[in-house]
Short mmCIF file of all heavy atoms in Angstrom, two decimals:
data_model
loop_
_atom_site.label_atom_id
_atom_site.label_comp_id
_atom_site.label_asym_id
_atom_site.label_seq_id
_atom_site.Cartn_x
_atom_site.Cartn_y
_atom_site.Cartn_z
N ALA A 39 93.73 19.46 12.83
CA ALA A 39 94.45 18.24 13.31
C ALA A 39 94.66 17.28 12.12
O ALA A 39 95.74 16.73 11.93
CB ALA A 39 93.61 17.54 14.33
N VAL A 40 93.68 17.09 11.25
CA VAL A 40 93.78 16.22 10.16
C VAL A 40 94.77 16.66 9.10
O VAL A 40 95.61 15.87 8.57
CB VAL A 40 92.38 15.88 9.52
CG1 VAL A 40 92.59 14.93 8.29
CG2 VAL A 40 91.44 15.16 10.49
N MET A 41 94.76 18.03 8.81
CA MET A 41 95.50 18.48 7.70
C MET A 41 97.00 18.71 8.13
O MET A 41 97.80 19.06 7.31
CB MET A 41 94.85 19.83 7.23
CG MET A 41 93.47 19.73 6.65
SD MET A 41 93.39 18.75 5.22
CE MET A 41 93.86 19.90 3.98
N LYS A 42 97.35 18.48 9.39
CA LYS A 42 98.71 18.51 9.74
C LYS A 42 99.53 17.57 8.93
O LYS A 42 100.73 17.83 8.74
CB LYS A 42 98.94 18.27 11.30
CG LYS A 42 98.53 19.41 12.09
CD LYS A 42 98.74 19.06 13.56
CE LYS A 42 98.49 20.28 14.45
NZ LYS A 42 98.70 19.91 15.81
N GLY A 43 98.94 16.52 8.49
CA GLY A 43 99.73 15.56 7.64
C GLY A 43 99.94 16.09 6.14
O GLY A 43 100.71 15.52 5.45
N ARG A 44 99.37 17.21 5.86
CA ARG A 44 99.54 17.77 4.50
C ARG A 44 100.54 18.86 4.36
O ARG A 44 100.89 19.32 3.38
CB ARG A 44 98.19 18.19 3.90
CG ARG A 44 97.10 17.11 4.11
CD ARG A 44 95.74 17.51 3.47
NE ARG A 44 95.89 17.32 1.95
CZ ARG A 44 94.96 17.66 1.12
NH1 ARG A 44 93.77 18.13 1.62
NH2 ARG A 44 95.16 17.54 -0.17
N LYS A 45 100.95 19.44 5.57
CA LYS A 45 101.84 20.51 5.61
C LYS A 45 102.85 20.29 6.66
O LYS A 45 102.58 20.19 7.81
CB LYS A 45 101.09 21.86 6.00
CG LYS A 45 100.05 22.25 4.87
CD LYS A 45 99.34 23.58 5.30
CE LYS A 45 98.26 23.93 4.22
NZ LYS A 45 97.62 25.23 4.62
N LYS A 46 104.06 20.25 6.28
CA LYS A 46 105.16 20.07 7.18
C LYS A 46 105.31 21.30 8.01
O LYS A 46 105.20 22.45 7.61
CB LYS A 46 106.51 19.74 6.46
CG LYS A 46 106.44 18.37 5.74
CD LYS A 46 107.79 18.11 5.08
CE LYS A 46 107.77 16.78 4.42
NZ LYS A 46 109.02 16.41 3.69
N ASN A 47 105.75 21.02 9.34
CA ASN A 47 106.02 22.23 10.25
C ASN A 47 104.80 23.07 10.36
O ASN A 47 104.99 24.32 10.49
CB ASN A 47 107.31 23.00 9.80
CG ASN A 47 108.44 22.08 9.82
OD1 ASN A 47 108.63 21.30 10.63
ND2 ASN A 47 109.38 22.32 8.85
N TYR A 48 103.58 22.55 10.38
CA TYR A 48 102.46 23.30 10.53
C TYR A 48 102.01 23.42 11.91
O TYR A 48 101.50 22.49 12.47
CB TYR A 48 101.28 22.67 9.63
CG TYR A 48 99.97 23.40 9.63
CD1 TYR A 48 99.90 24.74 9.43
CD2 TYR A 48 98.79 22.74 9.97
CE1 TYR A 48 98.66 25.41 9.38
CE2 TYR A 48 97.59 23.24 10.04
CZ TYR A 48 97.55 24.62 9.74
OH TYR A 48 96.30 25.30 9.73
N PHE A 49 102.32 24.52 12.56
CA PHE A 49 101.96 24.74 13.95
C PHE A 49 101.12 25.95 14.06
O PHE A 49 101.54 27.07 14.44
CB PHE A 49 103.25 24.91 14.78
CG PHE A 49 104.15 23.68 14.74
CD1 PHE A 49 105.31 23.74 14.02
CD2 PHE A 49 103.81 22.60 15.43
CE1 PHE A 49 106.15 22.71 13.94
CE2 PHE A 49 104.70 21.50 15.44
CZ PHE A 49 105.78 21.51 14.65
N PRO A 50 99.75 25.88 13.84
CA PRO A 50 98.89 27.10 13.78
C PRO A 50 98.77 27.59 15.23
O PRO A 50 98.17 26.85 16.12
CB PRO A 50 97.59 26.49 13.26
CG PRO A 50 97.60 25.05 13.55
CD PRO A 50 99.08 24.63 13.51
N LYS A 51 99.14 28.78 15.46
CA LYS A 51 98.99 29.30 16.80
C LYS A 51 97.96 30.52 16.84
O LYS A 51 97.78 31.08 17.91
CB LYS A 51 100.44 29.80 17.30
CG LYS A 51 101.29 28.64 17.51
CD LYS A 51 100.76 27.48 18.36
CE LYS A 51 101.75 26.32 18.39
NZ LYS A 51 101.05 25.18 18.98
N SER A 52 97.52 30.96 15.67
CA SER A 52 96.66 32.08 15.77
C SER A 52 95.30 31.59 16.25
O SER A 52 94.80 30.52 15.95
CB SER A 52 96.40 32.66 14.31
OG SER A 52 95.35 32.08 13.68
N ILE A 53 94.65 32.42 17.05
CA ILE A 53 93.40 31.99 17.70
C ILE A 53 92.25 31.73 16.69
O ILE A 53 91.55 30.82 16.93
CB ILE A 53 93.01 33.14 18.68
CG1 ILE A 53 94.11 33.43 19.66
CG2 ILE A 53 91.70 32.62 19.44
CD1 ILE A 53 94.51 32.32 20.48
N SER A 54 92.25 32.54 15.59
CA SER A 54 91.12 32.38 14.72
C SER A 54 91.10 31.14 14.02
O SER A 54 90.10 30.57 13.48
CB SER A 54 91.10 33.54 13.65
OG SER A 54 92.40 33.49 12.98
N VAL A 55 92.28 30.41 13.85
CA VAL A 55 92.38 29.10 13.18
C VAL A 55 92.43 28.03 14.13
O VAL A 55 91.73 27.03 14.06
CB VAL A 55 93.55 29.10 12.19
CG1 VAL A 55 93.70 27.72 11.53
CG2 VAL A 55 93.47 30.18 11.14
N ALA A 56 93.36 28.07 15.04
CA ALA A 56 93.63 26.91 15.95
C ALA A 56 92.62 26.99 17.14
O ALA A 56 92.46 25.94 17.76
CB ALA A 56 95.01 26.87 16.49
N ALA A 57 92.18 28.16 17.47
CA ALA A 57 91.18 28.34 18.58
C ALA A 57 91.74 27.64 19.90
O ALA A 57 91.15 26.80 20.46
CB ALA A 57 89.78 27.72 18.26
N ALA A 58 92.95 28.14 20.30
CA ALA A 58 93.46 27.64 21.55
C ALA A 58 94.26 28.75 22.16
O ALA A 58 94.68 29.67 21.52
CB ALA A 58 94.37 26.45 21.17
N PHE A 59 94.67 28.51 23.45
CA PHE A 59 95.25 29.71 24.08
C PHE A 59 96.34 29.41 25.02
O PHE A 59 96.55 28.34 25.52
CB PHE A 59 94.08 30.44 24.90
CG PHE A 59 93.00 30.99 24.04
CD1 PHE A 59 91.92 30.21 23.87
CD2 PHE A 59 93.32 32.09 23.30
CE1 PHE A 59 91.00 30.67 22.96
CE2 PHE A 59 92.34 32.58 22.46
CZ PHE A 59 91.20 31.87 22.27
N LEU A 60 97.04 30.59 25.35
CA LEU A 60 98.21 30.49 26.17
C LEU A 60 97.66 30.69 27.64
O LEU A 60 96.66 31.21 27.91
CB LEU A 60 99.18 31.63 25.95
CG LEU A 60 99.74 31.69 24.51
CD1 LEU A 60 100.41 32.93 24.36
CD2 LEU A 60 100.59 30.39 24.21
N VAL A 61 98.54 30.38 28.63
CA VAL A 61 98.09 30.44 30.00
C VAL A 61 99.27 30.60 30.93
O VAL A 61 100.40 30.09 30.63
CB VAL A 61 97.36 29.13 30.31
CG1 VAL A 61 98.04 28.31 31.27
CG2 VAL A 61 96.04 29.49 31.01
N ALA A 62 99.05 31.14 32.12
CA ALA A 62 100.07 31.14 33.12
C ALA A 62 99.60 31.85 34.31
O ALA A 62 98.60 32.59 34.19
CB ALA A 62 101.33 31.79 32.63
N SER A 63 100.31 31.88 35.46
CA SER A 63 99.77 32.50 36.59
C SER A 63 100.53 32.62 37.88
O SER A 63 101.54 32.00 38.00
CB SER A 63 98.39 32.02 36.93
OG SER A 63 98.50 30.60 37.15
N SER A 64 99.88 33.28 38.84
CA SER A 64 100.18 33.30 40.23
C SER A 64 101.15 34.42 40.59
O SER A 64 102.17 34.59 40.14
CB SER A 64 100.79 32.08 40.72
OG SER A 64 101.36 32.21 41.97
N ILE A 65 100.66 35.37 41.41
CA ILE A 65 101.36 36.39 42.02
C ILE A 65 100.90 36.60 43.40
O ILE A 65 100.00 35.93 43.84
CB ILE A 65 101.48 37.77 41.23
CG1 ILE A 65 99.98 38.25 41.25
CG2 ILE A 65 101.92 37.65 39.88
CD1 ILE A 65 99.81 39.58 40.46
N THR A 66 101.47 37.48 44.09
CA THR A 66 100.95 37.81 45.49
C THR A 66 99.54 38.25 45.40
O THR A 66 99.08 38.83 44.39
CB THR A 66 101.86 38.77 46.12
OG1 THR A 66 101.95 39.92 45.38
CG2 THR A 66 103.24 38.23 46.32
N LEU A 67 98.87 38.36 46.54
CA LEU A 67 97.45 38.37 46.64
C LEU A 67 96.79 39.67 46.13
O LEU A 67 95.94 40.18 46.84
CB LEU A 67 97.02 38.17 48.02
CG LEU A 67 96.17 36.99 48.29
CD1 LEU A 67 97.06 35.86 48.73
CD2 LEU A 67 95.13 37.37 49.26
N GLY A 68 97.23 40.33 45.12
CA GLY A 68 96.58 41.59 44.54
C GLY A 68 96.90 42.81 45.29
O GLY A 68 96.06 43.77 45.16
N LEU A 69 97.97 42.89 46.08
CA LEU A 69 98.25 44.06 46.77
C LEU A 69 98.73 45.15 45.89
O LEU A 69 98.67 46.35 46.19
CB LEU A 69 99.32 43.80 47.91
CG LEU A 69 98.92 42.74 48.96
CD1 LEU A 69 100.06 42.52 49.95
CD2 LEU A 69 97.69 43.17 49.68
N ALA A 70 99.22 44.78 44.77
CA ALA A 70 99.77 45.77 43.79
C ALA A 70 98.58 46.68 43.27
O ALA A 70 98.89 47.78 42.92
CB ALA A 70 100.45 45.17 42.73
N PHE A 71 97.35 46.19 43.25
CA PHE A 71 96.31 46.94 42.66
C PHE A 71 95.16 46.81 43.59
O PHE A 71 94.07 46.27 43.26
CB PHE A 71 95.95 46.41 41.26
CG PHE A 71 97.05 46.62 40.32
CD1 PHE A 71 97.85 45.49 40.12
CD2 PHE A 71 97.25 47.77 39.61
CE1 PHE A 71 98.97 45.65 39.15
CE2 PHE A 71 98.30 47.87 38.68
CZ PHE A 71 99.13 46.77 38.44
N PRO A 72 95.14 47.40 44.88
CA PRO A 72 94.07 47.11 45.76
C PRO A 72 92.75 47.80 45.39
O PRO A 72 91.68 47.18 45.67
CB PRO A 72 94.63 47.74 47.08
CG PRO A 72 95.65 48.69 46.62
CD PRO A 72 96.19 48.18 45.36
N THR A 73 92.82 48.86 44.66
CA THR A 73 91.56 49.52 44.28
C THR A 73 90.74 48.68 43.22
O THR A 73 89.56 48.61 43.13
CB THR A 73 91.81 50.82 43.65
OG1 THR A 73 92.72 50.78 42.48
CG2 THR A 73 92.42 51.78 44.64
N PHE A 74 91.54 47.92 42.38
CA PHE A 74 90.99 47.07 41.44
C PHE A 74 90.41 45.74 41.97
O PHE A 74 89.53 45.15 41.57
CB PHE A 74 91.88 46.84 40.24
CG PHE A 74 92.06 47.96 39.26
CD1 PHE A 74 93.31 48.39 38.93
CD2 PHE A 74 90.92 48.58 38.72
CE1 PHE A 74 93.47 49.43 38.13
CE2 PHE A 74 91.07 49.63 37.92
CZ PHE A 74 92.38 50.05 37.54
N ALA A 75 91.14 45.26 43.00
CA ALA A 75 90.76 44.02 43.61
C ALA A 75 89.38 43.97 44.10
O ALA A 75 88.61 42.98 44.02
CB ALA A 75 91.70 43.63 44.79
N ALA A 76 88.85 45.15 44.57
CA ALA A 76 87.45 45.13 45.08
C ALA A 76 86.49 45.15 43.99
O ALA A 76 85.29 44.99 44.27
CB ALA A 76 87.33 46.47 45.93
N LYS A 77 86.82 45.27 42.73
CA LYS A 77 86.00 45.27 41.67
C LYS A 77 85.69 43.91 40.96
O LYS A 77 85.04 43.77 39.98
CB LYS A 77 86.48 46.25 40.55
CG LYS A 77 86.52 47.75 40.91
CD LYS A 77 87.21 48.54 39.86
CE LYS A 77 86.43 48.45 38.51
NZ LYS A 77 87.06 49.29 37.51
N LEU A 78 86.22 42.91 41.61
CA LEU A 78 85.98 41.56 41.15
C LEU A 78 84.50 41.26 40.79
O LEU A 78 83.72 41.22 41.79
CB LEU A 78 86.56 40.53 42.17
CG LEU A 78 86.45 39.09 41.75
CD1 LEU A 78 87.36 38.85 40.48
CD2 LEU A 78 86.87 38.13 42.82
N PRO A 79 84.11 41.08 39.58
CA PRO A 79 82.66 40.96 39.26
C PRO A 79 82.03 39.74 39.64
O PRO A 79 80.80 39.70 39.87
CB PRO A 79 82.63 41.17 37.78
CG PRO A 79 83.92 40.66 37.31
CD PRO A 79 85.01 40.95 38.38
N ILE A 80 82.77 38.64 39.76
CA ILE A 80 82.18 37.32 40.03
C ILE A 80 82.72 36.85 41.42
O ILE A 80 83.97 36.61 41.46
CB ILE A 80 82.44 36.35 38.91
CG1 ILE A 80 81.77 36.87 37.65
CG2 ILE A 80 81.87 34.99 39.21
CD1 ILE A 80 82.19 36.14 36.35
N VAL A 81 82.01 36.60 42.37
CA VAL A 81 82.45 36.15 43.63
C VAL A 81 82.39 34.64 43.74
O VAL A 81 81.46 33.98 43.39
CB VAL A 81 81.60 36.81 44.65
CG1 VAL A 81 82.06 36.23 46.11
CG2 VAL A 81 81.66 38.26 44.70
N GLY A 82 83.49 33.99 44.28
CA GLY A 82 83.56 32.56 44.33
C GLY A 82 84.56 31.91 43.46
O GLY A 82 85.40 32.64 42.91
N ASN A 83 84.50 30.62 43.24
CA ASN A 83 85.45 29.85 42.54
C ASN A 83 85.05 29.91 41.06
O ASN A 83 84.10 29.32 40.62
CB ASN A 83 85.46 28.41 43.06
CG ASN A 83 86.40 27.56 42.29
OD1 ASN A 83 87.28 27.99 41.53
ND2 ASN A 83 86.26 26.20 42.46
N VAL A 84 85.90 30.57 40.30
CA VAL A 84 85.59 30.66 38.85
C VAL A 84 85.73 29.26 38.20
O VAL A 84 84.92 28.95 37.28
CB VAL A 84 86.67 31.52 38.17
CG1 VAL A 84 86.57 31.53 36.62
CG2 VAL A 84 86.43 33.07 38.64
#
Side-chain angles (χ1 to χ4, degrees):
V40 176
M41 299 295 279
K42 281 181 179 179
R44 309 187 73 181
K45 297 181 182 179
K46 293 183 178 180
N47 299 323
Y48 180 52
F49 298 104
K51 298 305 174 191
S52 90
I53 304 299
S54 61
V55 177
F59 297 97
L60 305 174
V61 107
S63 56
S64 170
I65 60 175
T66 55
L67 243 96
L69 298 178
F71 300 93
T73 57
F74 285 129
K77 295 175 61 178
L78 182 64
I80 299 170
V81 178
N83 178 16
V84 172

